[in-house]
Amino acid sequence: MSQRVEMILDVNEKPQPAQWILLSFQHVFAMFGATILVPVLTGFPISVALFASGIGTIIYSCITRFKVPVYLGSSFAYISAVQIAVAAMSGDVSAAQTGLILIGLVYVIVSIIVRFIGKDWIDKLLPPIVIGPMIAVIGLGLAANAVSNAGFVAGGSWKVMLTAVFTFILTALISTKAKGFFKIIPFLCGILGGYLFALALGIVDFTPVMEVIESRQFLSLPEFILPFAVPGFKQYHLYFGPETFAILPVALVTISEHIGDHTVLGKICGRNFLKEPGLDKTLMGDGIATSISALLGGPANTTYGENTGVIGMTKVSSVYVTVGAACIAIVLSCVPIVSAFISTIPSAVLGGMSIILYGVIASNGLRVLIDNQVDFGQQRNLIIASAMLVIGLGGAVLPLGKLVTLSGTALSASVGIVLNLILPRSKQTEDSKN
C-alpha cells in the first residue's frame, strides 16, 4: 500500500542541535494559530491548550514508540458540543471536561478492539479509491480557511492580500530555489519574512505583548482547571449527567479523521502507520493525550494537518523534530510574553503559508490515485471518487443527534467506505486482485 519516499531526514533520524531547534520552531509556528483559536472560541485558557498540545504530543510519541511524526493540537470537532455543554450547565465546565475525558477513553476502548480484531481489515475498508479522495478532501476542506486568512474575500484589505502573496511567494521560492539548510525551513523563513513585510505595512497588532508587559507576569504556570482542589487553580467536578454523555458521539467523527490523517502522513512519509506501529497504538496515543488534556482543563487533541503539510514540503519527517516542537510548546505555555509575541503574527502571513500547506495535503490524494493506477474508466471508481469529493467539499451535513453531525472528511469517508462495499466490482478488478 505504501511506497518508500526519499526523505531528507527520516522518521528515526536526529538533526544537528541548531537545525533541530529551528525545525521544531517551524512546527510550532505552523500549529500555533489553530491551537490557540480553539480555547479562544470556547473560553478556556490559551496556556493550558499550549501545554496540553505539547504534553499530548509527547504522550502520543511514547505510546507509538516514536515511530510516527505526528503533532497533536486542539481539536475543532468538539467546539460546538463543548459550548452547548457549558451553556447547559450555566457556565460550569464540569460536563464538558468530563465528556472530553471520556472521549479519550472511547479511543482507548476502540484501540483495544482493533488490537484483538487485527489490522488486515484496514486495507479492505480503505483501498486507494477511498484513500485518495479522502486525503484530497482533508486538504481542500481547509482551503476556505487559508483563503479567508489571506484576505482574498469580498471587501478584503489590499495590505492583507499583499502580505499573504509575499509570504506565499517567499515560501515557495525558498522551498524550490534555496540550498542547504534553508531548503528545509521554508515555512520558518516565510513566516519571518512575511512578518517583517506586515510590520512595514503596519498590520501587526502588538496589543497582546503590551498586555503581558503591563501585567509584569513574565513567567507562570499554565492556568490549569483541575477536577480536584489545588491552591491557585480553578476547579471543576467530574460529572456524569446527560450533558456529558451527549458529547461522546463526536468520537465517531474524530476517529474517522484520525484514520484519514494518519493515512495522509503515511503517504507523505512512504510508510503505513496504520500497520506499523499500528492503528491500535495511534488511537491509544491520541486518546490518552485527549484525556490528560481534558483532565488539566484543556481541549481535546487531534493530529494537525498544518504540521503534516510541513513534513510534506520539507521532506523532514524526524520524530525528534515533532517532539522538540512539543517541548517548545510546553515552555511557551509558561512564558506569556513569548506566546503573546507569536500570537501577533498576522492572519495574512498564516494564510499565505496555509495555501501551500493545505494544497500539499490535497495533492498527496492525487498521488495515491496515480501511484496505485486507479482506473477511472471504471464507473465504480468514478462514482466513489465523485461522491466523496462532492459530499466532502459541498458542505454536506448528516445530523446524528442534537449535538453531533457527520460532515466534511468523516461523512465523505463514510460514504466512500459504504460505496466501496456495496458497488459491484468488474471481473477485471477481481482477477487483478487474485
Side-chain angles (χ1 to χ4, degrees):
M1 177 177 166
S2 61
Q3 293 182 333
R4 180 62 64 194
V5 176
E6 191 67 31
M7 305 298 287
I8 295 174
L9 281 175
D10 210 346
V11 173
N12 57 352
E13 293 180 326
K14 183 190 296 184
Q16 295 298 317
Q19 295 179 344
W20 191 351
I21 293 172
L22 290 174
L23 288 170
S24 293
F25 259 110
Q26 186 168 240
H27 275 282
V28 171
F29 284 122
M31 68 85 186
F32 194 86
T35 293
I36 68 170
L37 182 58
V38 173
V40 167
L41 294 175
T42 55
F44 289 89
I46 292 175
S47 60
V48 178
L50 277 176
F51 182 89
S53 169
I55 200 68
T57 299
I58 292 173
I59 290 171
Y60 171 93
S61 298
C62 290
I63 292 174
T64 56
R65 297 178 295 183
F66 299 95
K67 292 185 176 182
V68 190
V70 148
Y71 191 91
L72 298 180
S74 305
S75 174
F76 282 75
Y78 296 91
I79 289 177
S80 60
V82 166
Q83 289 174 331
I84 292 172
V86 172
M89 298 286 288
S90 301
D92 185 357
V93 302
S94 296
Q97 294 311 109
T98 305
L100 295 180
I101 292 174
L102 294 180
I103 285 289
L105 297 180
V106 169
Y107 269 66
V108 172
I109 292 170
V110 173
S111 75
I112 294 172
I113 294 173
V114 168
R115 182 177 181 83
F116 283 101
I117 289 178
K119 307 163 188 174
D120 292 340
W121 58 272
I122 296 173
D123 288 339
K124 296 179 181 178
L125 205 62
L126 297 170
I129 185 56
V130 175
I131 289 175
M134 183 192 301
I135 294 174
V137 167
I138 290 174
L140 296 177
L142 296 167
N145 294 333
V147 171
S148 176
N149 285 333
F152 292 104
V153 294
S157 166
W158 69 267
K159 291 184 178 181
V160 172
M161 295 181 195
L162 195 58
T163 300
V165 170
F166 178 85
T167 304
F168 175 90
I169 293 175
L170 179 61
T171 304
L173 287 175
I174 292 173
S175 179
T176 55
K177 298 292 185 181
K179 304 293 183 181
F181 181 61
F182 285 101
K183 189 174 181 63
I184 61 175
I185 55 168
F187 296 105
L188 185 58
C189 295
I191 287 174
L192 292 176
Y195 190 90
L196 293 175
F197 190 84
L199 195 62
L201 291 181
I203 61 172
V204 178
D205 182 8
F206 287 104
T207 301
V209 176
M210 299 307 297
E211 290 177 349
V212 173
I213 293 175
E214 290 174 3
S215 70
R216 297 183 180 276
Q217 192 173 19
F218 301 107
L219 189 65
S220 65
L221 288 174
E223 302 171 74
F224 297 126
I225 307 173
L226 305 169
F228 41 80
V230 175
F233 295 100
K234 294 180 180 180
Q235 181 184 4
Y236 68 89
H237 300 279
L238 294 177
Y239 173 78
F240 300 95
E243 297 87 354
T244 297
F245 293 109
I247 297 175
L248 300 189
V250 184
L252 296 172
V253 178
T254 52
I255 287 175
S256 297
E257 292 176 343
H258 175 101
I259 295 173
D261 289 341
H262 280 78
T263 302
V264 174
L265 185 60
K267 283 297 174 183
I268 289 174
C269 298
R271 295 169 181 257
N272 191 333
F273 294 126
L274 299 182
K275 288 190 174 181
E276 180 59 39
L279 180 58
D280 57 329
K281 290 185 177 62
T282 64
L283 282 170
M284 179 79 72
D286 203 343
I288 292 178
T290 288
S291 288
I292 295 297
S293 174
L295 194 69
L296 298 174
N301 280 330
T302 188
T303 51
Y304 257 32
E306 291 89 340
N307 299 85
T308 298
V310 169
I311 293 172
M313 281 292 294
T314 63
K315 301 298 181 185
V316 174
S317 60
S318 171
V319 74
Y320 290 94
V321 173
T322 50
V323 171
C327 294
I328 292 173
I330 292 173
V331 172
L332 292 181
S333 71
C334 301
V335 185
I337 188 69
V338 177
S339 56
F341 184 79
I342 293 177
S343 69
T344 65
I345 298 174
S347 61
V349 174
L350 299 176
M353 185 180 68
S354 296
I355 291 173
I356 298 178
L357 287 178
Y358 301 153
V360 166
I361 295 173
S363 297
N364 273 282
L366 299 179
R367 198 186 79 190
V368 170
L369 298 172
I370 294 170
D371 289 348
N372 289 277
Q373 298 181 329
V374 175
D375 182 9
F376 278 97
Q378 294 186 26
Q379 285 297 107
R380 179 181 187 278
N381 292 337
L382 196 62
I383 290 171
I384 293 173
S386 300
M388 290 183 68
L389 291 172
V390 171
I391 289 173
L393 302 175
V397 173
L398 178 64
L400 299 178
K402 291 184 177 179
L403 297 181
V404 185
T405 56
L406 205 59
S407 62
T409 304
L411 181 55
S412 174
S414 300
V415 169
I417 290 170
V418 171
L419 289 176
N420 178 63
L421 293 175
I422 65 174
L423 289 180
R425 300 175 185 272
S426 67
K427 188 177 186 301
Q428 181 181 359
T429 304
E430 293 293 343
D431 290 342
S432 66
K433 290 180 66 181
N434 297 328

